[in-house]
Amino acid sequence: MTSSHESQDRVPSRQRKRFPGISSRAYEHPADRSALVALRKLSGFDTVFKALSGLLPERSLRLLFLSDSVRVSDAQFAHLNDMLRDACYILDLEKVPPMYVNQDPRPNAMCIGLDEPIIVVTTGLVELLDEEEMRAVIGHEVGHALSGHAVYRTILLFLTNLALKVAWIPLGNVAIMAIVTALREWFRKSELSADRAGLLAGQDIQASMRGLMKIAGGNHLHEMNVDAFLAQADEYEKSGDLRDSVLKILNVLPRSHPFTTVRAAELKKWSETRDYQRIMDGHYPRRDEDKDTSVTDSFKESASHYADSVRNSKDPLMKLVGDIAGGAGDLGGKLRDKFTGAGSAKGGATGGSSGTEGTDGTQGPEGSRGPSAEGS
């Protein structure tokens, strides 16, 4: 067996900081934790979870990848093997999970498994990304393993396939799809956490940005620009009216991952926070402290994050929710104005009226409180 020091000597890269004993709490997105809490409270989820934990053919899954994919090792895809061990070393994941390369032109990666996680990357991803970008992706998957996400991801995979098989039965997949929808909501939030883990493993924000851009637009970096790509996320969040906000929700519901521009913007924001810098300076929650962590405190932190997100969001629907929560006006009237586009006309008509009406006309959802960047 190769020693850890020898494996590090073979890594063809610069020195990176290591985070001994780091807890997944250090990089977990608050929305990830709160979505998982909500998922566990879903009626019937515990029963389904316990049943599936004993029924899922995990051994069959492992044999499938072993027989029909290429297992990463010193002898096969050695450069990926070095990256995997390096990511596990940096994030202090004691047991290196097996990793497989699967023939699939679509760029993708996943971390699945109930008892022990397995990492799978597709040939499309391996061929698309350069070394630094691939390090971020492998760190992303190691982050899933460290956070214990693999269990829920495996159940989502199984339930999604099951829902397709029973879709022909009247009402047969209603209960299943309720849990699948909740799992997908958590899954999307867990991707934001894993993106942060990928940054901690690769420690190159530009590589992380490039990787996400390539996943969105292919291997044409000379035709793409990071700032312009991030500007798309800003435009996506604040553009349109309430109708567009509803369409955004409908568009994202069937997806397993958040939109790529949104992921890039979220990661860039986090990389500029004090929280990230403290981790890089060696100040972060340790795994041996996890047992003393207050569930209530975690929930409060998640709730606070959502409140800040609503308050600072540029999305029309979130701005309206924030205004209503702050006592800014009548819900029915504001919804009507937003959907019909009558808000601006109403503002003009009431501008010269009495003090009360004038204030209502100028302090609507698009009023003087300009949007600010969302906190991380």
Side-chain angles (χ1 to χ4, degrees):
M1 178 178 278
T2 307
S3 71
S4 61
H5 291 295
E6 289 174 345
S7 69
Q8 293 308 305
D9 290 341
R10 289 202 307 273
V11 176
S13 69
R14 57 184 171 78
Q15 280 293 112
R16 288 173 172 79
K17 293 183 179 179
R18 184 172 180 254
F19 309 105
I22 189 171
S23 167
S24 60
R25 291 181 291 118
Y27 59 81
E28 281 175 348
H29 194 285
D32 176 8
R33 287 197 296 272
S34 59
L36 197 53
V37 168
L39 174 66
R40 287 167 176 160
K41 289 184 176 180
L42 184 67
S43 177
F45 176 74
D46 283 345
T47 303
V48 172
F49 177 78
K50 289 174 183 175
L52 290 179
S53 294
L55 293 176
L56 283 180
E58 184 169 9
R59 292 179 66 87
S60 173
L61 197 64
R62 292 177 183 277
L63 288 171
L64 177 63
F65 285 116
L66 188 62
S67 64
D68 206 32
S69 300
V70 176
R71 183 164 62 188
V72 171
S73 66
D74 286 336
Q76 301 185 118
F77 290 100
H79 70 295
L80 296 181
N81 198 39
D82 286 336
M83 292 181 199
L84 174 62
R85 285 191 290 209
D86 197 31
C88 291
Y89 178 76
I90 289 170
L91 295 176
D92 200 18
L93 184 64
E94 189 172 338
K95 187 170 184 179
V96 179
M99 184 162 77
Y100 295 88
V101 176
N102 182 252
Q103 170 60 30
D104 189 336
R106 295 169 297 181
N108 197 13
M110 58 181 173
C111 179
I112 55 175
L114 295 178
D115 296 326
E116 295 181 1
I118 305 171
I119 295 174
V120 181
V121 296
T122 65
T123 51
L125 190 69
V126 174
E127 292 162 6
L128 178 66
L129 304 183
D130 67 26
E131 179 186 312
E132 293 300 310
E133 296 156 6
M134 197 67 198
R135 282 183 181 279
V137 168
I138 291 175
H140 173 111
E141 300 305 326
V142 169
H144 278 311
L146 185 61
S147 290
H149 290 158
V151 174
Y152 297 97
R153 290 160 69 90
T154 305
I155 290 176
L156 174 59
L157 190 65
F158 178 81
L159 285 178
T160 301
N161 292 333
L162 181 61
L164 292 174
K165 291 178 182 178
V166 302
W168 61 274
I169 303 175
L171 301 179
N173 68 336
V174 172
I176 294 174
M177 286 309 300
I179 295 177
V180 166
T181 300
L183 273 167
R184 279 184 180 150
E185 170 63 13
W186 162 77
F187 193 112
R188 289 188 291 269
K189 300 302 188 288
S190 75
E191 289 299 306
L192 301 178
S193 296
D195 282 342
R196 294 177 175 187
L199 177 58
L200 292 175
Q203 297 173 25
D204 185 342
I205 184 61
Q206 291 304 316
S208 294
M209 293 292 104
R210 291 198 311 269
L212 289 168
M213 285 171 59
K214 283 184 175 181
I215 290 172
N219 195 11
H220 305 282
L221 275 180
H222 62 288
E223 297 284 357
M224 294 185 277
N225 177 275
V226 172
D227 292 335
F229 188 66
L230 292 173
Q232 288 180 225
D234 186 62
E235 181 181 347
Y236 170 78
E237 183 185 1
K238 69 183 180 182
S239 64
D241 54 22
L242 282 182
R243 291 164 293 186
D244 294 300
S245 297
V246 172
L247 288 174
K248 291 176 190 176
I249 295 171
L250 294 177
N251 285 340
V252 81
L253 279 178
R255 292 176 58 92
S256 61
H257 288 61
F259 291 116
T260 318
T261 56
V262 175
R263 289 174 62 186
E266 283 282 340
L267 185 59
K268 186 69 164 60
K269 272 188 290 190
W270 187 68
S271 72
E272 295 168 350
T273 63
R274 179 61 183 153
D275 289 340
Y276 173 71
Q277 190 56 55
R278 282 181 57 80
I279 295 174
M280 296 304 296
D281 290 341
H283 306 294
Y284 50 82
R286 258 62 173 186
R287 229 167 291 160
D288 55 13
E289 301 167 350
D290 284 351
K291 62 182 183 300
D292 301 321
T293 304
S294 167
V295 176
T296 302
D297 289 344
S298 296
F299 189 79
K300 285 180 179 178
E301 181 183 350
S302 300
S304 175
H305 165 78
Y306 269 120
D308 288 341
S309 297
V310 170
R311 183 166 53 250
N312 298 320
S313 176
K314 302 170 188 176
D315 179 82
L317 179 58
M318 291 299 100
K319 283 172 63 66
L320 179 60
V321 170
D323 285 346
I324 292 168
D330 168 64
L331 173 59
K334 288 182 180 296
L335 284 173
R336 182 187 64 250
D337 291 346
K338 275 295 197 176
F339 273 103
T340 61
S344 57
K346 179 181 176 182
T350 57
S353 302
S354 66
T356 302
E357 292 179 349
T359 300
D360 188 56
T362 58
Q363 293 292 331
E366 306 295 337
S368 60
R369 285 176 290 177
S372 59
E374 179 186 349
S376 178

